[in-house]
C-alpha cells in the first residue's frame, strides 16, 4: 500500500513516527512518502521535503514564509494527484494540511487528519473547514470526537501515542545514570522550544531565569536538550544570557532529560504533555511576536494554553505568557516546586490519572480507523 503523509515540526514528526510503527505492523510492505522528519525516516518514510520547512512561529513568521510554504503545498498536491496514494494522512499542521486535504478529497483521494486542531480552545470556525477537507479525524483527546461530530466530521478517539511510548513509571534512576547525574543532584530541565522562532523569543528569558536560580541555589544542575540543527543558535544565547549557570547542552535526549529532572522550565506545546506523562512539575512560559500575540489572544476561548492545564481544566501548573514570561517570575515559580514536595506529589498523582486516560494503544486504534476508511471506499 502507498501512503502519503505530511508532518510539520518536531512534534508532528514524533507523532507520525509512532503511527508509522503501527501501520507497518498491519501492512509490512507499506510505502510512505511526503513531508517528514528523522523519526519518520527511521520508519522507512521517504521525505520529499523535511518537516522543519513547515516550522513557523506565530502569524508574523508564517507571513514571512508564506510564499515558500504555499509553493511546497502546491507542488506536493500536484505530485499526489499525478500519483494518487491509497490514503493521505495529514499530521497536525492544520494551516498547511487542511487546504491540501480539501484538494485531495475533491479528487477522490481519502484524506485523514491526525490530531484534531484545537477548535475547543480557539479558532472554532475550523470545524466547518474540516468537514469539507477530510474524511476522518483521529483524535488524541477523549472529548474531541463528540465535538467534531456536531459539525458533521467523522472522528475516532485513538488516545495519545506519547502515552504509549512513555513509561507509566518514569525511569528516573536510569536516565540520571545515562546523563552522569547523581541520585541526589537537584536538576532543572530547560526546554525553550524546538522552533527557531521559539528559541529567539523564549530562550533568553529561560536562560536568565537559570542564572537567577544558580545565584540563589548554586547546587542546581541545568540540562537543555537542543533540537536538531539548532545548537549553533542556542550556544550564543547561553553565553549571552545564562551567566555562570552550569547549563549542559544535549543533542536531543529530551525524554531522558524529563525523566531525570526534578522540575522543568518549558515552552507551551506538545513538550508540556510529555513532561506531564513523565510526571514532572513544570513552569510553562511562552512569548511570541507582538502582532501574533494580539491575534492569538483575541481568538482564545479558554483561560489556559498549556495542555496539562487544558486537560485538567484547572491551573495545575503555572503559565507565564508574553510579558509575564520574564526571568524573575520564572525563577520564583521554579523554586516554588522545588520547595513544596507535597504539592509536587499531588501533581504527580493527577498526571498519573491523565496518563491512564490517554494510554489507548494509539497505533493500533489509528490503524484500525484508517483500515475502515479504506474499506468504506473500496
Amino acid at each position: 500500500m502507498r501512503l502519503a503523509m505530511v508532518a510539520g515540526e518536531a512534534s508532528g514528526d514524533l507523532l507520525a513516527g509512532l503511527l508509522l510503527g503501527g501501520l507497518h505492523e498491519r501492512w509490512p510492505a507499506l510505502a510512505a512518502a511526503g513531508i517528514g522528519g528523522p523519526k519518520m525516516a527511521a520508519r522507512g518514510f521517504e521525505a520529499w521535503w523535511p518537516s522543519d520547512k513547515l516550522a513557523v512561529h506565530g502569524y508574523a513568521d508564517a507571513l514571512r514564509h508564506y510564499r515558500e510554504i504555499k509553493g511546497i503545498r502546491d507542488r506536493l498536491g500536484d505530485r499526489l494527484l499525478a500519483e494518487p496514494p491509497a490514503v493521505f494522512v495529514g499530521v497536525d499542521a492544520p494551516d498547511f494540511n487542511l487546504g491540501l486535504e480539501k484538494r485531495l478529497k475533491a479528487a477522490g483521494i481519502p484524506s485523514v487528519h491526525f490530531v484534531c486542531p484545537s477548535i475547543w480552545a480557539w479558532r472554532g470556525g475550523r470545524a466547518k473547514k474540516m468537514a469539507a477537507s477530510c474524511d476522518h479525524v483521529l483524535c488524541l483527546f477523549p472529548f474531541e470526537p463528540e465535538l467534531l461530530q456536531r459539525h458533521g466530521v467523522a472522528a475516532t478517539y485513538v488516545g495519545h501515542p506519547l502515552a504509549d511510548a512513555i513509561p507509566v513509571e518514569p525511569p528516573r534512576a536510569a536516565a540520571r545514570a545515562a546523563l552522569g547525574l547523581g541520585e541526589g543532584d537537584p536538576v532543572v530541565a530547560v526546554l525553550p522550544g524546538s522552533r527557531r522562532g521559539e528559541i529567539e523569543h523564549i530562550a533568553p528569558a529561560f536562560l536568565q531565569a537559570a542564572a537567577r536560580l544558580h545565584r540563589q541555589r548554586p547546587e542546581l544542575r541545568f540540562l537543555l536538550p537542543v533540537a536538531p540543527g539548532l545548537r549553533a543558535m542556542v550556544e550564543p544565547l547561553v553565553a549571552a544570557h545564562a551567566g555562570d549557570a552550569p547549563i549542559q547542552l544535549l543533542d536531543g535526549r529530551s525524554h531522558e532529560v524529563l525523566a531525570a529532572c526534578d522540575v522543568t522550565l518549558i515552552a507551551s506545546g506538545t513538550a508540556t504533555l510529555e513532561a506531564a506523562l513523565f510526571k514532572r512539575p513544570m513552569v510553562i512560559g511562552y512569548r511570541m511576536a507582538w502582532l501574533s500575540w494580539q491575534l492569538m489572544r483575541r481568538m482564545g476561548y479558554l483561560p489556559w494554553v498549556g495542555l496539562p492545564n487544558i486537560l485538567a481544566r484547572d491551573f495545575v501548573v503555572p503559565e507565564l505568557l508574553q510579558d509575564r514570561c520574564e526571568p524573575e517570575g520564572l525563577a520564583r515559580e521554579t523554586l516554588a516546586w522545588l520547595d513544596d514536595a507535597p504539592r509536587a506529589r499531588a501533581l504527580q498523582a493527577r498526571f498519573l490519572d491523565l496518563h491512564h486516560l490517554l494510554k489507548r494503544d494509539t497505533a493500533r486504534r489509528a490503524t484500525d480507523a484508517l483500515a475502515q476508511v479504506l474499506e468504506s471506499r473500496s
Side-chain angles (χ1 to χ4, degrees):
M1 188 176 77
R2 288 182 60 252
L3 169 80
M5 295 181 83
V6 168
E9 309 179 8
S11 59
D13 177 45
L14 175 63
L15 294 174
L18 294 168
L19 175 59
L20 281 168
L23 294 172
H24 279 295
E25 284 188 17
R26 182 181 286 253
W27 297 295
L30 175 82
I35 299 177
K39 302 284 189 188
M40 298 164 72
R43 299 284 190 176
F45 183 83
E46 181 185 354
W48 297 335
W49 289 272
S51 58
D52 59 15
K53 284 287 187 184
L54 310 186
V56 295
H57 176 66
Y59 288 101
D61 200 22
L63 286 171
R64 280 197 301 272
H65 294 91
Y66 172 78
R67 295 180 74 178
E68 179 188 12
I69 292 173
K70 184 180 184 301
I72 291 172
R73 186 170 69 176
D74 290 346
R75 292 196 299 276
L76 175 61
D78 292 344
R79 184 166 182 173
L80 295 179
L81 291 176
E83 307 169 36
V87 63
F88 173 82
V89 181
V91 183
D92 209 0
D95 290 314
F96 184 96
N97 276 324
L98 290 178
L100 177 61
E101 288 163 15
K102 184 176 183 179
R103 185 181 176 192
L104 298 178
K105 181 180 178 182
I109 298 171
S111 294
V112 174
H113 197 81
F114 182 30
V115 181
C116 175
S118 303
I119 57 174
W120 32 266
W122 69 296
R123 289 181 71 171
R126 267 190 177 153
K128 283 186 180 179
K129 187 173 183 179
M130 294 180 72
S133 299
C134 49
D135 296 287
H136 207 92
V137 179
L138 307 177
C139 299
L140 303 182
F141 304 122
F143 57 84
E144 292 173 328
E146 181 183 354
L147 184 61
L148 287 170
Q149 284 157 13
R150 287 184 213 154
H151 296 276
V153 182
T156 301
Y157 171 51
V158 298
H160 204 295
L162 287 170
D164 295 320
I166 294 171
V168 172
E169 182 65 35
R172 184 177 187 272
R176 285 189 163 232
L179 294 167
L181 300 168
E183 179 58 30
D185 290 339
V187 178
V188 178
V190 181
L191 281 76
S194 60
R195 296 180 288 189
R196 289 184 175 276
E198 288 175 331
I199 299 295
E200 176 187 350
H201 287 95
I202 300 168
F206 278 23
L207 294 168
Q208 291 166 29
R212 281 179 171 268
L213 288 165
H214 175 62
R215 289 196 295 271
Q216 295 175 66
R217 303 284 174 89
E219 71 278 11
L220 290 176
R221 301 278 299 273
F222 299 89
L223 302 178
L224 196 165
V226 182
L230 294 181
R231 180 176 274 267
M233 184 179 186
V234 171
E235 285 179 339
L237 292 172
V238 171
H241 298 287
D244 296 328
I247 295 183
Q248 181 180 353
L249 298 184
L250 299 159
D251 292 320
R253 305 180 72 179
S254 61
H255 281 193
E256 281 181 290
V257 169
L258 288 172
C261 74
D262 296 293
V263 62
T264 177
L265 267 174
I266 193 164
S268 179
T270 301
T272 62
L273 181 62
E274 294 175 84
L277 294 171
F278 277 103
K279 325 297 183 300
R280 292 300 176 253
M282 71 189 81
V283 178
I284 297 174
Y286 209 73
R287 300 181 80 163
M288 58 177 62
W290 181 86
L291 175 60
S292 296
W293 171 251
Q294 295 303 318
L295 292 169
M296 289 278 288
R297 188 174 62 170
R298 283 167 170 72
M299 291 189 289
Y301 302 152
L302 301 178
W304 319 280
V305 301
L307 282 169
N309 290 338
I310 289 169
L311 293 168
R313 304 195 67 76
D314 191 9
F315 281 104
V316 296
V317 299
E319 297 180 356
L320 279 67
L321 309 178
Q322 206 60 11
D323 293 340
R324 294 184 64 230
C325 184
E326 45 79 31
E328 183 178 358
L330 294 167
R332 181 178 62 250
E333 295 290 355
T334 301
L335 285 178
W337 283 120
L338 292 170
D339 292 339
D340 194 342
R343 178 182 172 222
R345 285 195 295 271
L347 180 72
Q348 288 161 357
R350 294 192 74 160
F351 285 167
L352 179 62
D353 291 341
L354 175 63
H355 201 147
H356 287 303
L357 175 67
L358 299 179
K359 188 177 173 62
R360 289 290 183 270
D361 193 357
T362 298
R364 180 184 59 79
R365 285 189 174 214
T367 302
D368 288 347
L370 278 175
Q372 289 176 10
V373 169
L374 289 168
E375 286 169 11
S376 70
R377 291 299 194 96
S378 61

